[in-house]
Amino acid sequence: MHQTVQASVPEVFARRVEPARGLAQEAETVARACHAMATRFHGGGRLIVFGNGEAATDAQHIAVEFVHPVIVGKRALPSFSLTGDVATITGIAATSGFDDVFAHQLRHLAVRDDMALGVSPYGECVNVLRALETAKELGLLTLALVGGDGGEIARSPSVDHVVIARSADPRVVKEVHVTTYHILWELVHVFFEQPGVLDPRVVA
């Protein structure tokens, strides 16, 4: 029994090595997404987040990170999740179908300066993809956190910025996503703290 446990410990850690390296290799992609987000926030935009199942709780986690920073002195930035109102979700699902639960809300809540961030562990969630497509049509900045090979969401031309946690293990994907959205939060604030980055001035 002890020998089996010893053998499994390296395996558990090994499953996380390549996905973590993959995220590090996506540094430029993440930085570009953060700059685009900071620019939108600077212009009065809001971050709207959505996902299914465990990704629904990620969506709520992301929203609260931005609107209620845990680090003293960091500014609160407007963000909300589309996953928290069960009456709205079930009402839309009952009349329009579950595939439209996020897109419908975006059509009625979003404005052009906003951002839409979809979370999908496999990259194949139809309602997340439909919401991102709707957001793009409305003029929002669109972002996605996906897993596996990225799926249909990563291949969609409607997604401006996508970060893929390249693992078939949903637990590892979850861990990479949590790390990623904390980096998103931190880098957005880094851009806010650099004079002239978001509101450049002409220097004579």
Side-chain angles (χ1 to χ4, degrees):
M1 178 67 176
H2 178 67
Q3 194 171 18
T4 302
V5 171
Q6 283 186 323
S8 67
V9 169
E11 293 169 6
V12 168
F13 280 92
R15 285 200 300 271
R16 288 153 171 82
V17 172
E18 287 307 315
R21 285 178 178 162
L23 177 58
Q25 291 166 358
E26 292 288 330
E28 183 175 349
T29 298
V30 174
R32 288 183 182 278
C34 291
H35 183 265
M37 291 172 67
T39 300
R40 289 274 177 145
F41 277 126
H42 185 67
R46 304 167 301 168
L47 178 63
I48 307 171
V49 202
F50 42 89
N52 297 290
E54 288 188 9
T57 60
D58 282 318
Q60 291 171 284
H61 186 168
I62 294 167
V64 74
E65 288 280 352
F66 280 92
V67 82
H68 183 64
V70 296
I71 298 179
V72 175
K74 296 295 183 181
R75 72 173 69 193
L77 296 168
S79 179
F80 61 93
S81 167
L82 300 181
T83 65
D85 185 344
V86 67
T88 296
I89 290 174
T90 54
I92 296 168
T95 57
S96 303
F98 194 67
D99 290 350
D100 208 42
V101 291
F102 302 134
H104 179 92
Q105 293 183 73
L106 286 172
R107 292 187 203 106
H108 296 280
L109 295 174
V111 297
R112 189 174 182 85
D113 290 335
D114 289 341
M115 298 155 272
L117 171 56
V119 186
S120 174
Y122 301 101
E124 301 289 352
C125 295
V126 176
N127 57 8
V128 172
L129 176 58
R130 184 173 294 183
L132 290 167
E133 291 171 341
T134 299
K136 188 67 173 178
E137 291 168 4
L138 294 170
L140 278 66
L141 177 73
T142 55
L143 310 102
L145 301 181
V146 294
D149 67 355
E152 291 296 319
I153 292 174
R155 292 187 286 271
S156 172
S158 295
V159 183
D160 297 316
H161 301 275
V162 60
V163 179
I164 305 173
R166 296 191 181 277
S167 173
D169 186 332
R171 297 164 298 182
V172 176
V173 170
K174 171 86 168 182
E175 291 163 13
V176 174
H177 282 176
V178 172
T179 300
T180 303
Y181 58 71
H182 283 106
I183 292 171
L184 290 177
W185 177 88
E186 189 164 358
L187 282 182
V188 164
H189 283 275
V190 167
F191 283 118
F192 265 104
E193 292 162 0
Q194 303 304 311
V197 171
L198 303 178
D199 187 18
R201 301 279 192 256
V202 175
V203 179

